[in-house]
Amino acid sequence: MKIRWIRGNETIGFNHPHVFFLTGIRGAGKSSFLEFIGMKYLENNHAVFDLFASRDGENLAWLRSPWAEEKRILLLKGDSVDVDCSWPVKPVDSVTLHDFEKFDIIISSSPFYVNLDQEYIYAAKLTDLLYKRLSWRRLIYCIVREAANLYYSRLKISDNQTQAKAEMVYLIRESRHMGLALGLDSLRWHAIDIDIRSLSDYIIFKNMGQMGLSKEMKFLYSFIEPHTFRYLKPNHFVITTKKGGIGFGVFPYHEWHKKEGENILKALGIKVEYGEIPKQSIDKGTFKTVSDAEHAEIIRLYVEENLGFVKIAQRIGRSSRTVSLHVHGHNQAVERSGFCPACKRIGAPYFDKRVSKGYLFTTEQPPLREAII
């Protein structure tokens, strides 16, 4: 990467948790620039966490990059999704901070989730996990294509829009304390709040097309001709820094980047199958429905820990009547259909077995009277 500085003269180091914010029209080369920054961090033995990309699996192109031959790669997936490939795959619920130290490139790709809601919820869980990173031996460079996705993911688990925005700003503000470098991009300048843009160490302008620069950035026209921003090639960019530097740059465009219209899954030999989506808990105002995960936990506590309805209710924060209904409902479903739909959706081990306190029975055995609690 080469930069001709018009004002100031800075060196961009890749051993620091910088925040890069890119903006430009579609096809301007924003994603490839974020990947290029990722390669610079990899060169310095740091990790890349590619969190958000387009629905067609754009970020899976890392798997055919030169880095795939020498770096340890982990793919993340959601529940009810089976991924058949030659790389390690792990459910998001099983990811730990140790994985971010063990693997060099971690990819959360949209095709590995049943739908966008599931992807957003799991993205929020992953960022929550990074909040707990109190010490680190290397940086993690997190790529978020279309930065508004990060806001939407926070909104999925937040009470309101204000809280979601505050959590996103907090993540970016505290990122350096977690050893987290960030690469964010956005089609529109104002799609990302000023509180977030102001935290960027480097703002990168790609081809701006007919949009031009926003009002607060039009001062750049005093340094660079306006038409330049409309004709920037995919490997060209204009950069501003938090120290006031302004420059015109070029970076080597890598050929392994996903091509428009390409079936990246087929190209990489990856097969994905989708199952039924696990049901989440829904707040109905006066009560909350029981999620599939909660149902499976009720059954597990009943069988493995030999707990009664009252103690299970205390453990999970539900009423004993709710626990009773789910245990009996589980057994009725197994007797009627041979499996419990809730347990099957979540992949629970007792999905095809009737249960009693401290015991479980196969479907081949005759129905037994429920134990009296």
Side-chain angles (χ1 to χ4, degrees):
M1 178 172 65
K2 296 181 179 179
I3 300 175
R4 179 170 62 85
W5 293 101
I6 300 169
R7 185 173 75 180
N9 186 8
E10 301 184 25
T11 300
I12 302 177
F14 296 97
N15 285 310
H16 300 282
H18 296 308
V19 177
F20 299 84
F21 174 67
L22 282 71
T23 186
I25 62 174
R26 292 176 180 173
K30 299 188 299 297
S31 183
S32 58
F33 187 87
L34 291 176
E35 290 168 347
F36 171 76
I37 296 298
M39 289 190 284
K40 301 303 290 183
Y41 275 104
L42 288 173
E43 287 177 4
N44 287 273
N45 296 315
H46 301 300
V48 168
F49 176 31
D50 205 322
L51 179 59
F52 274 117
S54 56
R55 184 62 186 170
D56 60 0
E58 179 181 22
N59 53 355
L60 292 174
W62 282 106
L63 300 177
R64 65 182 180 196
S65 72
W67 298 100
E69 300 177 3
E70 58 181 277
K71 297 294 185 180
R72 294 162 297 182
I73 296 178
L74 176 66
L75 305 179
L76 306 182
K77 74 178 188 72
D79 291 331
S80 301
V81 180
D82 292 325
V83 179
D84 182 13
C85 66
S86 56
W87 294 274
V89 181
K90 194 170 189 178
V92 173
D93 283 332
S94 301
V95 175
T96 65
L97 286 176
H98 176 69
D99 292 316
F100 286 95
E101 298 299 327
K102 178 181 178 181
F103 294 94
D104 303 304
I105 302 175
I106 298 178
I107 303 171
S108 176
S109 193
S110 195
F112 295 165
Y113 297 94
V114 174
N115 54 33
L116 281 175
D117 283 344
Q118 187 185 61
E119 183 179 8
Y120 285 147
I121 290 171
Y122 278 129
K125 289 184 177 181
L126 290 167
T127 52
D128 282 346
L129 180 63
L130 292 173
Y131 283 143
K132 302 174 183 177
R133 196 171 186 243
L134 303 180
S135 62
W136 39 275
R137 64 179 180 84
R138 63 176 181 174
L139 299 172
I140 297 173
Y141 169 64
C142 180
I143 299 176
V144 181
R145 296 171 181 82
E146 200 53 46
N149 286 330
L150 191 58
Y151 166 75
Y152 296 143
S153 72
R154 301 309 310 176
L155 190 59
K156 283 293 179 182
I157 62 171
S158 302
D159 293 332
N160 53 59
Q161 295 182 5
T162 302
Q163 182 180 344
K165 173 191 167 184
E167 290 174 352
M168 182 176 176
V169 172
Y170 178 82
L171 172 66
I172 298 174
R173 187 177 67 242
E174 298 296 315
S175 59
R176 67 186 183 92
H177 298 295
M178 298 178 280
L180 188 65
L182 289 168
L184 315 169
D185 79 23
S186 178
L187 283 170
R188 297 186 299 112
W189 175 261
H190 290 294
I192 297 301
D193 195 272
I194 187 173
D195 291 338
I196 296 170
R197 298 196 305 269
S198 63
L199 293 171
S200 301
D201 296 294
Y202 301 100
I203 296 178
I204 313 295
F205 295 93
K206 303 291 288 179
N207 190 318
M208 301 301 292
Q210 65 178 359
M211 295 187 301
L213 298 178
S214 61
K215 183 178 180 180
E216 63 265 40
M217 300 304 293
K218 284 187 176 180
F219 73 91
L220 290 175
Y221 290 149
S222 301
F223 299 90
I224 301 173
E225 291 291 334
H227 67 83
T228 301
F229 290 90
R230 295 197 301 272
Y231 297 105
L232 288 171
K233 296 179 180 179
N235 64 328
H236 291 172
F237 61 93
V238 172
I239 183 172
T240 65
T241 76
K242 65 179 181 180
K243 295 181 179 179
I246 301 173
F248 181 87
V250 60
F251 71 99
Y253 194 88
H254 45 281
E255 293 300 322
W256 54 265
H257 181 73
K258 182 185 177 300
K259 297 176 177 60
E260 188 174 1
E262 179 187 13
N263 186 333
I264 192 70
L265 294 176
K266 184 177 180 180
L268 294 169
I270 299 175
K271 296 181 180 179
V272 182
E273 293 185 2
Y274 302 98
E276 193 174 357
I277 307 172
K279 292 183 179 179
Q280 304 295 324
S281 178
I282 301 174
D283 191 344
K284 297 290 188 178
T286 57
F287 69 96
K288 290 181 68 175
T289 62
V290 175
S291 68
D292 287 345
E294 283 182 290
H295 171 87
E297 180 65 3
I298 289 172
I299 302 303
R300 188 193 70 79
L301 292 172
Y302 192 55
V303 174
E304 296 181 7
E305 299 192 22
N306 197 27
L307 298 182
F309 293 165
V310 174
K311 289 186 177 180
I312 293 175
Q314 293 172 346
R315 179 80 68 88
I316 67 172
R318 295 282 185 173
S319 69
S320 58
R321 181 177 181 275
T322 296
V323 174
S324 174
L325 288 173
H326 276 266
V327 170
H328 291 296
H330 172 93
N331 286 335
Q332 290 171 1
V334 172
E335 291 176 5
R336 180 178 62 251
S337 306
F339 66 92
C340 168
C343 288
K344 188 174 182 180
R345 283 193 294 266
I346 207 73
Y350 308 122
F351 77 95
D352 60 347
K353 298 177 177 64
R354 288 180 290 107
V355 299
S356 186
K357 186 180 178 184
Y359 300 94
L360 58 89
F361 308 95
T362 63
T363 54
E364 286 75 18
Q365 293 174 302
L368 297 178
R369 179 180 298 177
E370 281 291 319
I372 299 176
I373 307 302

